[in-house]
Amino acid sequence: MARREDGRDWAYRVDPYGFERPEDFDYASYEAFFSRYLVVLTRRAIKWSKLLKGNNSIQKSLKVKRYIRKGIPNEHRALIWMIVSGAQANMEQNPGYYQRLLEGEKNDKLLEAIKTDMNRTFPDNVKFRKTADPCLQHALYNVLVAYGHHNKAVGYCQGMNFIAGYLILITKNEEESFWLLDALIGRILPDYYSPAMLGLKTDQEVLGELVKMKVPAVAELMERHGVMWTLVVSRWFICLFIDILPVETVLRIWDCLFYEGSKIIFRVALTLIKQNQAFILEAMNFPDICDKFKQITKGTFVTECHSFMQKIFTDPGSLSMATINKLRETCREKLLSQG
């Protein structure tokens, strides 16, 4: 695709998911990456077509896990997410449930909170604008309202709007987005969005412990300057890297998240920190550290999603769910004792 100067057409300034590219978007290096990535995508699409053989089902296996780590082609993404997360089975076991939630009695306070966030959700995405046809704000509102009434303990919490928005962009289906949101909030992310957000706070502390083990110099820097992990990584966890890493990279992370669970978040976070260790260690003070953490989520390393995903499975070394659960236990107890 030839590089256009000021006369760039609209389609060129908006990515395939509807996000407007920023003013300083580096078209040249993106095109160089994408022309290479296209070859990978084509090869993966052929392999996935053979794997699915026209069936709309797969069984979990080492081969499927390997395929998912190498990326799910966009045309199969919604289907595979639905199957491997358990959302498909839940949807089939509860026919008409989503519709009944939308038709049932509503909590006015919940509706108000969701409405307030509608215009704040992806203002840079043309598909969520009121002028869009169809405007995805309507689907987003429905999914969040249904979820808030389905899971009253959570209701609605900021951050859920972005996650539901991404799900709608990929599935193009309200009901599927609802069940995927349920898989994430109800099972994959333990207690991230409840009012006390204990699970979220716990996992930020767990990351701190993992950094102590795997990148001790960075942990020591954070401690020396009194920087709490929540200040630099809370949005990584709450938004699952949305608006932090490039869209294509986020989707590749989510491919693995739906299959392998929450440890993927730690793998991504540790890779970002480990790869940029020398850069982070240049920080001289508190604001410096915060700034470095903003910088490490930009640039070629994170844009090149295929090599980035390979790195998350090698860079942090071994990371078992047993280790994470043990750390979760001790960090949760510590948080609860602090009140």
Side-chain angles (χ1 to χ4, degrees):
M1 207 184 281
R3 193 174 173 187
R4 298 164 180 77
E5 291 313 320
D6 295 334
R8 281 201 188 97
D9 61 16
W10 180 85
Y12 201 70
R13 283 184 285 110
V14 174
D15 78 10
Y17 304 98
F19 290 98
E20 286 179 325
R21 295 194 157 122
E23 285 297 307
D24 60 352
F25 186 76
D26 186 345
Y27 288 87
S29 64
Y30 183 78
E31 280 167 16
F33 148 70
F34 205 78
S35 58
R36 291 193 305 276
Y37 189 46
L38 212 49
V39 178
V40 174
L41 287 176
T42 309
R43 193 170 62 236
R44 299 313 309 160
I46 293 164
K47 295 208 171 205
W48 273 95
S49 295
K50 279 184 187 159
L51 180 75
L52 291 164
K53 294 190 197 78
N55 289 331
N56 275 357
S57 68
I58 49 160
Q59 298 296 317
K60 282 194 162 192
S61 67
L62 280 173
K63 183 182 185 178
V64 169
K65 183 180 182 176
R66 197 174 69 244
Y67 271 40
I68 287 174
R69 284 184 172 190
K70 290 180 178 179
I72 305 168
N74 222 13
E75 64 266 30
H76 302 307
R77 201 162 244 148
L79 171 73
I80 305 302
W81 284 4
M82 287 293 288
I83 295 169
V84 301
S85 66
Q88 186 70 33
N90 270 358
M91 186 168 84
E92 286 166 9
Q93 284 155 18
N94 296 280
Y97 177 66
Y98 175 70
Q99 213 44 50
R100 286 197 299 279
L101 285 168
L102 288 178
E103 289 161 7
E105 266 188 59
K106 305 285 190 306
N107 173 333
D108 290 342
K109 220 168 142 187
L110 179 80
L111 301 187
E112 205 44 54
I114 293 169
K115 269 187 192 132
T116 305
D117 271 359
M118 279 299 105
N119 289 331
R120 297 183 198 155
T121 310
F122 302 133
D124 59 339
N125 190 305
V126 297
K127 297 180 183 188
F128 283 89
R129 300 229 170 108
K130 285 208 164 72
T131 49
D133 185 25
C135 168
L136 293 186
Q137 273 195 23
H138 180 66
L140 177 64
Y141 179 75
N142 284 349
V143 169
L144 292 171
V145 166
Y147 192 77
H149 290 89
H150 159 71
N151 185 345
K152 292 187 172 72
V154 167
Y156 171 71
C157 162
Q158 277 186 336
M160 284 164 61
N161 50 330
F162 294 108
I163 291 168
Y166 254 53
L167 294 172
I168 290 163
L169 285 171
I170 296 303
T171 63
K172 302 175 178 63
N173 180 301
E174 277 183 35
E175 193 176 6
E176 288 180 5
S177 298
F178 167 81
W179 287 109
L180 283 169
L181 188 64
D182 183 51
L184 280 170
I185 295 174
R187 293 191 297 285
I188 297 170
L189 309 171
D191 208 12
Y192 272 31
Y193 300 94
S194 61
M197 289 182 153
L198 184 61
L200 175 76
K201 290 171 184 166
T202 300
D203 277 3
Q204 289 171 175
E205 294 303 315
V206 169
L207 177 64
E209 292 302 314
L210 288 169
V211 173
K212 266 183 206 166
M213 289 152 62
K214 293 175 182 286
V215 206
V218 170
E220 199 269 323
L221 174 84
M222 298 284 282
E223 219 159 287
R224 195 166 67 243
H225 291 284
V227 182
M228 289 163 70
W229 280 102
T230 183
L231 287 173
V232 289
V233 300
S234 64
R235 282 185 62 237
W236 296 7
F237 286 88
I238 293 173
C239 297
L240 302 177
F241 301 102
I242 293 173
D243 272 357
I244 288 151
L245 296 176
V247 184
E248 204 59 54
T249 310
V250 174
L251 295 173
R252 288 287 302 269
I253 292 165
W254 285 24
D255 290 347
C256 299
L257 182 66
F258 280 116
Y259 191 95
E260 299 183 49
S262 55
K263 70 172 174 189
I264 294 300
I265 303 172
F266 296 107
R267 284 200 164 279
V268 173
L270 285 167
T271 303
L272 286 169
I273 294 164
K274 206 168 179 184
Q275 273 288 321
N276 295 285
Q277 179 175 350
F279 176 69
I280 295 167
L281 292 175
E282 289 169 7
M284 305 296 284
N285 52 40
F286 193 112
D288 240 6
I289 294 172
C290 297
D291 189 53
K292 299 273 183 208
F293 270 85
K294 282 199 185 87
Q295 295 299 318
I296 66 174
T297 58
K298 297 175 172 67
T300 329
F301 178 61
V302 294
T303 303
E304 307 244 348
C305 57
H306 199 60
S307 54
F308 179 78
M309 291 307 288
Q310 287 167 335
K311 282 267 193 288
I312 77 162
F313 293 109
T314 54
D315 262 29
S318 76
L319 186 62
S320 71
M321 213 54 221
T323 303
I324 289 169
N325 286 333
K326 212 184 220 161
L327 287 170
R328 274 178 174 157
E329 223 169 282
T330 53
C331 291
R332 190 180 295 116
E333 276 169 27
K334 200 170 112 189
L335 283 164
L336 288 169
S337 70
Q338 290 166 358

